[in-house]
Amino acid sequence: MHLIDLQAYLSELGDNNNRAWFVMNKPRYDILRAEFLQLVTELITDISKFDPAILGLEPKKALFRINRDVRFAHDKSPYKTTFSSSIVPNGRKKPSEGGGPAYYFQMDGTGRLFYAVGEYMPPSDRLKAIRTHIVTDPEGFAKVLKDKKLKAQFGTLQEEGKLQRPPKGFDADLPHIEQIKLKNFMVWTECPLKGMDTDELKTTLLTAYRSAMPLVSWLRSVPA
């Protein structure tokens, strides 16, 4: 994939976020989208070597649309200024829909690569199930938090939107109560794309994704 071309396109789209510009530059978009689809196709194949649950996922189902849903948004810009993908076994792109842990990444016009693994804003029943599983499997959850490769790649679970107090039904003195307060069960990080080619991009993502398998496996063990 031509990462420099993608960055330039997304940067220009950010400066000209309107339908007229998008239509005039549609041929550029189509080429870049096809290249991105090929990248995701290769990632699915490689991820499935250490996570067979991904095998057989249709690559197109792992891509996010570039059109924004502006119905309830203050910002009415019609297009996203990122190319992004969420690789989930059942093809659901939103863990908030109950898709389970995902391998996510996005690239933007500033030349940043953002990548994450886990569940972002799971629905309330799923969130309660994860929290309950922490209570019933504290040792298994502790192993995830202490995993050296996971910590080296991502650090700890992100705390965006963390509750100030324990959620209803969970005592304050429970083991891992600080993690029980989380609304997301994800690890993520970012790095510059500058100087990367496609092979280096894939290596970066696959190394990180493989390191996060303890988290993926634990989340999949949560009873439905």
Coordinates of all heavy atoms in Angstrom, one line a residue, residues 109-195:
G109 N -4.5 11.5 8.4 CA -3.8 12.4 7.5 C -2.6 13.1 8.2 O -1.8 13.8 7.5
T110 N -2.4 12.9 9.5 CA -1.3 13.5 10.2 C -0.1 12.5 10.2 O 1.0 12.8 10.7 CB -1.6 13.9 11.6 OG1 -1.8 12.7 12.4 CG2 -2.8 14.8 11.7
G111 N -0.3 11.3 9.7 CA 0.8 10.3 9.6 C 0.8 9.5 10.9 O 1.9 9.0 11.2
R112 N -0.3 9.3 11.6 CA -0.3 8.5 12.8 C -1.0 7.2 12.6 O -2.0 7.1 11.8 CB -1.1 9.3 13.9 CG -0.5 10.6 14.3 CD 0.9 10.5 14.8 NE 1.0 9.8 16.1 CZ 2.2 9.6 16.7 NH1 3.3 10.0 16.2 NH2 2.2 8.9 17.9
L113 N -0.4 6.2 13.1 CA -1.0 4.8 13.2 C -1.5 4.6 14.6 O -0.7 4.6 15.5 CB 0.0 3.8 12.7 CG -0.4 2.3 13.0 CD1 -1.5 1.9 12.1 CD2 0.8 1.4 12.7
F114 N -2.8 4.3 14.7 CA -3.4 4.0 16.0 C -3.9 2.6 15.9 O -4.5 2.2 15.0 CB -4.6 5.0 16.3 CG -5.4 4.7 17.5 CD1 -5.1 5.2 18.7 CD2 -6.4 3.8 17.4 CE1 -5.8 5.0 19.8 CE2 -7.2 3.5 18.5 CZ -6.9 4.1 19.8
Y115 N -3.5 1.8 17.0 CA -4.0 0.4 16.9 C -4.4 -0.1 18.3 O -3.8 0.4 19.3 CB -2.9 -0.5 16.3 CG -1.5 -0.4 16.8 CD1 -0.9 -1.3 17.6 CD2 -0.7 0.7 16.3 CE1 0.4 -1.2 18.1 CE2 0.6 0.8 16.7 CZ 1.2 -0.1 17.6 OH 2.5 0.0 18.0
A116 N -5.3 -1.0 18.4 CA -5.9 -1.4 19.7 C -6.5 -2.8 19.6 O -6.7 -3.3 18.5 CB -7.1 -0.4 20.0
V117 N -6.6 -3.4 20.8 CA -7.2 -4.7 20.8 C -8.1 -4.8 22.1 O -7.7 -4.3 23.1 CB -6.1 -5.8 21.0 CG1 -6.7 -7.2 21.0 CG2 -5.1 -5.8 19.9
G118 N -9.3 -5.4 21.9 CA -10.2 -5.6 23.0 C -11.6 -5.1 22.7 O -12.0 -5.2 21.5
E119 N -12.3 -4.7 23.7 CA -13.7 -4.3 23.5 C -13.9 -2.8 24.0 O -13.6 -2.5 25.1 CB -14.6 -5.2 24.3 CG -14.5 -6.7 23.9 CD -15.6 -7.6 24.5 OE1 -16.7 -7.1 24.6 OE2 -15.3 -8.7 24.7
Y120 N -14.4 -2.0 23.0 CA -14.7 -0.6 23.3 C -16.2 -0.4 23.5 O -17.0 -0.8 22.6 CB -14.2 0.2 22.1 CG -14.5 1.7 22.2 CD1 -13.7 2.5 23.1 CD2 -15.5 2.3 21.5 CE1 -14.0 3.8 23.2 CE2 -15.8 3.6 21.6 CZ -15.0 4.4 22.5 OH -15.2 5.7 22.6
M121 N -16.5 0.1 24.6 CA -17.9 0.4 25.0 C -18.9 -0.8 24.7 O -19.8 -0.7 23.9 CB -18.4 1.7 24.2 CG -17.6 2.9 24.5 SD -17.8 3.5 26.2 CE -19.5 4.1 26.2
P122 N -18.6 -1.9 25.3 CA -19.5 -3.0 25.1 C -20.9 -2.7 25.7 O -21.0 -1.9 26.6 CB -18.8 -4.2 25.9 CG -18.0 -3.5 26.9 CD -17.5 -2.2 26.2
P123 N -22.0 -3.3 25.1 CA -23.3 -3.0 25.7 C -23.4 -3.4 27.1 O -22.6 -4.2 27.6 CB -24.2 -3.9 24.8 CG -23.3 -4.9 24.1 CD -22.0 -4.3 24.0
S124 N -24.4 -2.9 27.8 CA -24.5 -3.0 29.2 C -24.5 -4.5 29.7 O -23.9 -4.8 30.7 CB -25.8 -2.3 29.7 OG -26.9 -2.8 29.1
D125 N -25.2 -5.4 29.0 CA -25.2 -6.8 29.5 C -23.9 -7.4 29.3 O -23.4 -8.2 30.2 CB -26.3 -7.6 28.7 CG -26.2 -7.5 27.2 OD1 -25.4 -6.6 26.7 OD2 -26.8 -8.4 26.5
R126 N -23.2 -7.1 28.3 CA -21.8 -7.6 28.0 C -20.9 -7.0 29.1 O -20.0 -7.7 29.6 CB -21.4 -7.3 26.6 CG -19.9 -7.6 26.3 CD -19.7 -9.1 26.3 NE -18.3 -9.4 26.0 CZ -17.7 -10.6 26.1 NH1 -18.4 -11.6 26.5 NH2 -16.4 -10.8 25.7
L127 N -21.0 -5.7 29.3 CA -20.1 -5.1 30.3 C -20.3 -5.7 31.7 O -19.3 -6.0 32.4 CB -20.4 -3.6 30.4 CG -19.6 -2.7 31.3 CD1 -18.1 -2.8 31.0 CD2 -20.1 -1.3 31.2
K128 N -21.5 -6.0 32.1 CA -21.8 -6.6 33.4 C -21.2 -8.0 33.4 O -20.6 -8.4 34.4 CB -23.3 -6.7 33.6 CG -23.6 -7.2 35.0 CD -25.1 -7.2 35.3 CE -25.4 -7.7 36.7 NZ -26.8 -7.7 37.0
A129 N -21.3 -8.7 32.3 CA -20.7 -10.1 32.2 C -19.2 -10.1 32.4 O -18.6 -10.9 33.1 CB -21.1 -10.8 30.9
I130 N -18.5 -9.1 31.7 CA -17.1 -9.0 31.9 C -16.7 -8.7 33.3 O -15.8 -9.3 33.9 CB -16.5 -7.9 30.9 CG1 -16.7 -8.3 29.5 CG2 -15.1 -7.6 31.2 CD1 -16.4 -7.1 28.5
R131 N -17.4 -7.7 33.9 CA -17.1 -7.3 35.3 C -17.3 -8.5 36.2 O -16.5 -8.8 37.2 CB -18.0 -6.2 35.7 CG -17.6 -4.9 35.1 CD -18.6 -3.8 35.3 NE -18.1 -2.5 34.9 CZ -18.9 -1.4 34.7 NH1 -20.2 -1.5 34.9 NH2 -18.4 -0.2 34.4
T132 N -18.4 -9.3 36.0 CA -18.7 -10.4 36.8 C -17.6 -11.5 36.7 O -17.2 -12.2 37.6 CB -20.0 -11.0 36.5 OG1 -21.1 -10.0 36.7 CG2 -20.4 -12.3 37.3
H133 N -17.1 -11.7 35.5 CA -16.0 -12.6 35.2 C -14.7 -12.3 35.9 O -14.0 -13.1 36.3 CB -15.8 -12.8 33.7 CG -15.1 -14.0 33.3 ND1 -15.4 -15.3 33.8 CD2 -14.0 -14.2 32.5 CE1 -14.6 -16.2 33.3 NE2 -13.7 -15.6 32.5
I134 N -14.5 -11.0 36.0 CA -13.3 -10.5 36.8 C -13.4 -11.0 38.2 O -12.4 -11.5 38.8 CB -13.2 -9.0 36.7 CG1 -12.8 -8.5 35.3 CG2 -12.1 -8.5 37.7 CD1 -12.8 -7.0 35.2
V135 N -14.6 -10.9 38.8 CA -14.9 -11.4 40.2 C -14.7 -12.9 40.3 O -14.1 -13.4 41.3 CB -16.3 -10.9 40.6 CG1 -16.6 -11.5 42.0 CG2 -16.4 -9.4 40.6
T136 N -15.2 -13.6 39.3 CA -15.2 -15.1 39.4 C -13.9 -15.7 39.0 O -13.5 -16.8 39.3 CB -16.3 -15.7 38.6 OG1 -16.2 -15.3 37.2 CG2 -17.7 -15.3 39.1
D137 N -13.1 -14.9 38.2 CA -11.8 -15.4 37.7 C -10.7 -14.4 38.0 O -10.0 -13.9 37.1 CB -11.9 -15.8 36.2 CG -10.6 -16.3 35.7 OD1 -9.8 -17.0 36.4 OD2 -10.2 -16.1 34.5
P138 N -10.5 -14.0 39.3 CA -9.5 -13.0 39.5 C -8.0 -13.4 39.2 O -7.2 -12.6 38.8 CB -9.6 -12.8 41.1 CG -10.2 -14.0 41.6 CD -11.1 -14.5 40.5
E139 N -7.7 -14.7 39.3 CA -6.4 -15.1 39.0 C -6.1 -15.1 37.5 O -5.1 -14.6 37.1 CB -6.2 -16.6 39.5 CG -6.2 -16.7 41.0 CD -7.6 -16.9 41.6 OE1 -8.6 -17.0 40.7 OE2 -7.8 -16.9 42.8
G140 N -7.1 -15.5 36.7 CA -6.9 -15.5 35.3 C -6.8 -14.1 34.8 O -6.0 -13.8 33.9
F141 N -7.6 -13.2 35.3 CA -7.5 -11.8 34.9 C -6.2 -11.1 35.4 O -5.6 -10.4 34.6 CB -8.7 -11.0 35.6 CG -8.8 -9.6 35.1 CD1 -9.2 -9.3 33.8 CD2 -8.6 -8.5 35.9 CE1 -9.3 -8.0 33.3 CE2 -8.7 -7.2 35.5 CZ -9.0 -6.9 34.2
A142 N -5.7 -11.5 36.5 CA -4.4 -11.0 37.0 C -3.3 -11.4 36.0 O -2.4 -10.6 35.8 CB -4.1 -11.5 38.4
K143 N -3.4 -12.6 35.5 CA -2.3 -13.1 34.5 C -2.3 -12.2 33.3 O -1.3 -11.9 32.7 CB -2.6 -14.6 34.2 CG -2.3 -15.5 35.3 CD -2.5 -17.0 34.8 CE -2.2 -18.0 35.9 NZ -2.4 -19.4 35.5
V144 N -3.5 -11.8 32.9 CA -3.6 -10.9 31.7 C -2.9 -9.6 32.0 O -2.1 -9.1 31.2 CB -5.1 -10.7 31.3 CG1 -5.1 -9.6 30.2 CG2 -5.7 -12.0 30.9
L145 N -3.2 -9.0 33.2 CA -2.6 -7.7 33.5 C -1.1 -7.8 33.7 O -0.4 -6.8 33.4 CB -3.3 -7.2 34.8 CG -4.8 -7.0 34.8 CD1 -5.2 -6.5 36.2 CD2 -5.2 -5.9 33.8
K146 N -0.6 -8.9 34.1 CA 0.8 -9.1 34.3 C 1.6 -9.6 33.1 O 2.8 -9.6 33.2 CB 1.0 -10.0 35.5 CG 0.5 -9.5 36.8 CD 0.7 -10.6 37.9 CE 0.1 -10.1 39.3 NZ 0.2 -11.1 40.3
D147 N 0.9 -9.9 32.0 CA 1.6 -10.5 30.9 C 2.7 -9.5 30.4 O 2.4 -8.4 30.0 CB 0.6 -10.8 29.8 CG 1.2 -11.6 28.6 OD1 1.3 -12.8 28.7 OD2 1.7 -10.9 27.7
K148 N 3.9 -10.0 30.3 CA 5.1 -9.1 30.0 C 5.0 -8.6 28.5 O 5.3 -7.4 28.3 CB 6.4 -9.9 30.2 CG 6.7 -10.2 31.6 CD 8.0 -10.9 31.8 CE 8.3 -11.2 33.3 NZ 9.6 -11.9 33.4
K149 N 4.6 -9.5 27.6 CA 4.6 -9.0 26.2 C 3.5 -8.0 26.0 O 3.6 -7.0 25.2 CB 4.4 -10.2 25.3 CG 5.6 -11.1 25.2 CD 5.4 -12.3 24.2 CE 6.7 -13.1 24.1 NZ 6.5 -14.3 23.2
L150 N 2.3 -8.2 26.6 CA 1.2 -7.3 26.5 C 1.6 -6.0 27.1 O 1.3 -4.9 26.5 CB 0.0 -7.9 27.2 CG -1.3 -7.0 27.2 CD1 -1.8 -6.8 25.8 CD2 -2.3 -7.6 28.1
K151 N 2.2 -6.0 28.2 CA 2.6 -4.7 28.9 C 3.6 -4.0 28.1 O 3.6 -2.8 28.0 CB 3.1 -5.0 30.3 CG 2.0 -5.4 31.3 CD 2.6 -5.8 32.6 CE 3.2 -4.6 33.4 NZ 3.6 -5.0 34.7
A152 N 4.6 -4.7 27.5 CA 5.6 -4.1 26.7 C 5.1 -3.4 25.5 O 5.6 -2.3 25.1 CB 6.7 -5.1 26.3
Q153 N 4.1 -4.0 24.9 CA 3.5 -3.4 23.7 C 2.5 -2.3 23.9 O 2.5 -1.3 23.3 CB 2.8 -4.5 22.9 CG 3.7 -5.5 22.1 CD 4.3 -4.8 20.9 OE1 3.7 -3.9 20.3 NE2 5.5 -5.2 20.6
F154 N 1.7 -2.5 25.0 CA 0.6 -1.5 25.2 C 0.5 -0.9 26.5 O -0.2 0.1 26.7 CB -0.8 -2.3 25.0 CG -1.1 -2.8 23.6 CD1 -0.8 -4.1 23.2 CD2 -1.5 -1.9 22.7 CE1 -1.1 -4.5 21.9 CE2 -1.8 -2.3 21.4 CZ -1.6 -3.6 21.0
G155 N 1.3 -1.4 27.5 CA 1.1 -0.9 28.9 C -0.1 -1.6 29.5 O -0.2 -2.8 29.4
T156 N -1.0 -0.9 30.1 CA -2.1 -1.5 30.8 C -3.4 -1.1 30.1 O -3.4 -0.4 29.1 CB -2.2 -1.0 32.3 OG1 -3.2 -1.7 33.0 CG2 -2.5 0.5 32.4
L157 N -4.5 -1.7 30.7 CA -5.8 -1.4 30.1 C -6.1 0.1 30.2 O -5.8 0.8 31.2 CB -6.9 -2.1 30.9 CG -6.9 -3.6 30.8 CD1 -8.0 -4.2 31.8 CD2 -7.3 -4.1 29.4
Q158 N -6.6 0.7 29.1 CA -6.9 2.1 29.1 C -8.1 2.4 30.0 O -9.0 1.6 30.2 CB -7.2 2.5 27.6 CG -6.1 2.4 26.7 CD -4.9 3.4 27.0 OE1 -5.2 4.5 27.5 NE2 -3.7 2.9 26.9
E159 N -8.1 3.6 30.5 CA -9.0 4.0 31.5 C -10.0 5.1 31.1 O -10.6 5.8 31.9 CB -8.3 4.4 32.8 CG -7.5 3.3 33.4 CD -7.0 3.6 34.8 OE1 -7.2 4.7 35.3 OE2 -6.4 2.7 35.5
E160 N -10.1 5.3 29.8 CA -11.1 6.3 29.3 C -12.5 6.0 29.8 O -13.0 4.9 29.6 CB -11.0 6.3 27.8 CG -12.0 7.3 27.2 CD -12.0 7.3 25.6 OE1 -10.9 7.1 25.1 OE2 -13.0 7.4 25.0
G161 N -13.1 7.0 30.4 CA -14.5 6.8 30.8 C -14.7 6.0 32.1 O -15.8 5.6 32.4
K162 N -13.6 5.8 32.8 CA -13.6 5.0 34.1 C -14.6 5.6 35.1 O -14.6 6.8 35.3 CB -12.2 4.9 34.6 CG -12.1 4.0 35.9 CD -10.7 4.0 36.3 CE -10.5 3.2 37.6 NZ -9.1 3.1 38.0
L163 N -15.3 4.8 35.8 CA -16.3 5.2 36.8 C -15.5 5.7 38.0 O -14.4 5.2 38.3 CB -17.2 4.1 37.3 CG -18.1 3.5 36.2 CD1 -18.9 2.3 36.8 CD2 -19.1 4.5 35.7
Q164 N -16.0 6.7 38.7 CA -15.4 7.1 40.0 C -15.7 6.2 41.1 O -14.8 6.1 42.0 CB -15.9 8.5 40.3 CG -15.6 9.6 39.3 CD -14.1 9.8 39.2 OE1 -13.4 10.0 40.2 NE2 -13.6 9.9 38.0
R165 N -16.8 5.5 41.1 CA -17.2 4.6 42.2 C -17.5 3.2 41.6 O -17.7 3.1 40.4 CB -18.4 5.1 42.9 CG -18.2 6.5 43.6 CD -19.5 6.9 44.2 NE -19.3 8.2 44.9 CZ -20.3 8.9 45.5 NH1 -21.5 8.4 45.5 NH2 -20.1 10.1 46.0
P166 N -17.4 2.2 42.4 CA -17.7 0.9 41.9 C -19.1 0.8 41.3 O -20.1 1.5 41.8 CB -17.7 0.0 43.2 CG -16.8 0.7 44.1 CD -17.0 2.2 43.8
P167 N -19.3 0.0 40.2 CA -20.7 -0.1 39.6 C -21.6 -0.8 40.6 O -21.2 -1.5 41.5 CB -20.4 -0.9 38.4 CG -19.1 -1.6 38.6 CD -18.3 -0.7 39.5
K168 N -22.9 -0.5 40.4 CA -23.9 -1.1 41.2 C -23.8 -2.6 41.3 O -23.7 -3.3 40.3 CB -25.3 -0.8 40.7 CG -26.4 -1.2 41.6 CD -27.8 -0.8 41.0 CE -28.9 -1.2 41.9 NZ -30.3 -0.8 41.4
G169 N -23.8 -3.2 42.5 CA -23.7 -4.6 42.7 C -22.3 -5.1 42.9 O -22.1 -6.4 43.1
F170 N -21.3 -4.2 42.9 CA -19.9 -4.7 43.1 C -19.3 -3.9 44.3 O -19.3 -2.7 44.3 CB -19.1 -4.4 41.8 CG -19.5 -5.2 40.6 CD1 -20.5 -4.7 39.8 CD2 -18.9 -6.4 40.3 CE1 -20.9 -5.5 38.7 CE2 -19.3 -7.1 39.2 CZ -20.3 -6.7 38.4
D171 N -18.8 -4.7 45.3 CA -18.3 -4.1 46.5 C -16.9 -3.5 46.2 O -16.1 -3.9 45.4 CB -18.1 -5.2 47.6 CG -19.4 -5.8 48.0 OD1 -20.5 -5.1 47.9 OD2 -19.5 -6.9 48.5
A172 N -16.7 -2.4 47.0 CA -15.5 -1.6 46.8 C -14.2 -2.4 47.2 O -13.1 -2.0 46.8 CB -15.5 -0.3 47.6
D173 N -14.3 -3.5 48.0 CA -13.1 -4.2 48.4 C -12.8 -5.4 47.6 O -12.0 -6.3 47.9 CB -13.3 -4.6 49.9 CG -14.5 -5.5 50.2 OD1 -15.3 -5.7 49.2 OD2 -14.6 -6.0 51.3
L174 N -13.5 -5.6 46.5 CA -13.3 -6.7 45.6 C -11.9 -6.6 44.9 O -11.4 -5.5 44.7 CB -14.3 -6.7 44.5 CG -15.7 -7.3 44.8 CD1 -16.6 -7.0 43.6 CD2 -15.6 -8.7 45.1
P175 N -11.2 -7.7 44.7 CA -10.0 -7.7 43.9 C -10.2 -7.1 42.5 O -11.3 -7.3 41.9 CB -9.6 -9.2 43.8 CG -10.3 -9.9 44.9 CD -11.5 -9.1 45.1
H176 N -9.3 -6.3 42.1 CA -9.4 -5.7 40.7 C -10.5 -4.7 40.6 O -11.0 -4.4 39.5 CB -9.5 -6.7 39.6 CG -8.5 -7.8 39.6 ND1 -7.1 -7.5 39.6 CD2 -8.6 -9.1 39.7 CE1 -6.4 -8.7 39.6 NE2 -7.3 -9.7 39.7
I177 N -10.9 -4.1 41.7 CA -12.0 -3.2 41.7 C -11.8 -2.0 40.8 O -12.7 -1.5 40.1 CB -12.4 -2.7 43.1 CG1 -13.7 -1.9 43.1 CG2 -11.3 -1.8 43.7 CD1 -14.9 -2.7 42.6
E178 N -10.5 -1.5 40.6 CA -10.2 -0.4 39.7 C -10.5 -0.8 38.3 O -10.9 0.0 37.5 CB -8.8 0.0 39.9 CG -8.5 0.7 41.3 CD -9.4 1.8 41.6 OE1 -9.6 2.7 40.7 OE2 -10.0 1.9 42.6
Q179 N -10.2 -2.1 37.9 CA -10.5 -2.5 36.6 C -12.0 -2.8 36.4 O -12.6 -2.6 35.3 CB -9.7 -3.8 36.2 CG -8.2 -3.6 36.0 CD -7.5 -3.3 37.3 OE1 -7.8 -3.9 38.3 NE2 -6.5 -2.4 37.2
I180 N -12.7 -3.2 37.4 CA -14.1 -3.4 37.4 C -14.9 -2.1 37.1 O -15.9 -2.0 36.4 CB -14.7 -4.0 38.7 CG1 -14.2 -5.4 38.8 CG2 -16.2 -4.0 38.8 CD1 -14.4 -6.1 40.1
K181 N -14.2 -1.0 37.4 CA -14.8 0.4 37.2 C -14.7 0.8 35.7 O -15.4 1.7 35.3 CB -14.1 1.4 38.0 CG -14.3 1.3 39.5 CD -13.5 2.4 40.2 CE -13.6 2.3 41.7 NZ -12.8 3.3 42.4
L182 N -13.9 0.1 34.9 CA -13.7 0.4 33.5 C -15.0 0.2 32.7 O -15.8 -0.7 32.9 CB -12.6 -0.4 32.9 CG -11.2 -0.2 33.5 CD1 -10.2 -1.2 32.9 CD2 -10.7 1.2 33.4
K183 N -15.1 1.1 31.6 CA -16.2 0.9 30.7 C -15.7 0.3 29.4 O -16.5 -0.2 28.6 CB -16.9 2.3 30.4 CG -17.6 2.9 31.5 CD -18.2 4.2 31.1 CE -19.0 4.9 32.2 NZ -19.6 6.2 31.8
N184 N -14.4 0.3 29.2 CA -13.8 -0.3 28.0 C -12.8 -1.3 28.5 O -12.1 -1.1 29.5 CB -13.1 0.7 27.2 CG -13.9 1.9 26.8 OD1 -15.0 1.7 26.2 ND2 -13.5 3.1 27.1
F185 N -12.6 -2.4 27.8 CA -11.6 -3.4 28.1 C -10.7 -3.6 26.9 O -10.8 -4.5 26.1 CB -12.3 -4.7 28.6 CG -12.9 -4.6 29.9 CD1 -14.2 -4.1 30.1 CD2 -12.1 -4.8 31.1 CE1 -14.7 -3.9 31.3 CE2 -12.7 -4.7 32.3 CZ -14.0 -4.2 32.5
M186 N -9.9 -2.5 26.7 CA -9.0 -2.4 25.6 C -7.6 -2.0 26.0 O -7.4 -1.3 27.0 CB -9.5 -1.4 24.6 CG -10.9 -1.7 24.0 SD -11.2 -0.7 22.5 CE -10.2 -1.5 21.3
V187 N -6.7 -2.4 25.1 CA -5.3 -1.8 25.2 C -5.1 -1.1 23.8 O -5.6 -1.5 22.8 CB -4.2 -2.9 25.4 CG1 -4.3 -3.4 26.8 CG2 -4.3 -4.0 24.4
W188 N -4.4 0.0 23.9 CA -4.1 0.7 22.6 C -2.9 1.6 22.7 O -2.5 2.0 23.8 CB -5.3 1.5 22.1 CG -5.8 2.7 22.9 CD1 -5.2 3.9 23.0 CD2 -7.0 2.9 23.6 NE1 -5.9 4.8 23.7 CE2 -7.0 4.2 24.1 CE3 -8.1 2.0 23.9 CZ2 -8.1 4.6 24.9 CZ3 -9.1 2.5 24.6 CH2 -9.1 3.8 25.1
T189 N -2.4 1.9 21.5 CA -1.2 2.8 21.5 C -1.2 3.4 20.1 O -2.0 3.1 19.2 CB 0.1 2.0 21.8 OG1 1.2 2.9 21.9 CG2 0.4 1.0 20.7
E190 N -0.2 4.2 19.8 CA 0.0 4.8 18.5 C 1.5 5.0 18.2 O 2.3 5.1 19.1 CB -0.8 6.1 18.3 CG -0.4 7.2 19.3 CD -1.2 8.4 19.1 OE1 -2.1 8.5 18.3 OE2 -1.0 9.4 19.9
C191 N 1.8 5.2 16.9 CA 3.1 5.5 16.5 C 3.1 6.3 15.2 O 2.1 6.2 14.5 CB 4.0 4.3 16.4 SG 3.5 3.1 15.1
P192 N 4.2 6.9 14.8 CA 4.2 7.6 13.5 C 4.4 6.6 12.3 O 5.1 5.6 12.5 CB 5.4 8.5 13.6 CG 6.3 7.9 14.6 CD 5.4 7.2 15.6
L193 N 3.7 6.9 11.2 CA 3.9 6.1 10.0 C 5.1 6.4 9.2 O 5.5 5.7 8.4 CB 2.6 6.3 9.1 CG 1.4 5.5 9.5 CD1 0.2 6.0 8.7 CD2 1.6 4.0 9.2
K194 N 5.7 7.6 9.5 CA 6.8 8.1 8.7 C 7.9 7.0 8.6 O 8.4 6.5 9.6 CB 7.4 9.4 9.4 CG 8.5 10.0 8.5 CD 8.9 11.3 9.2 CE 10.0 12.0 8.3 NZ 10.4 13.3 8.9
G195 N 8.4 6.8 7.4 CA 9.4 5.8 7.2 C 9.0 4.4 7.1 O 9.8 3.5 6.7

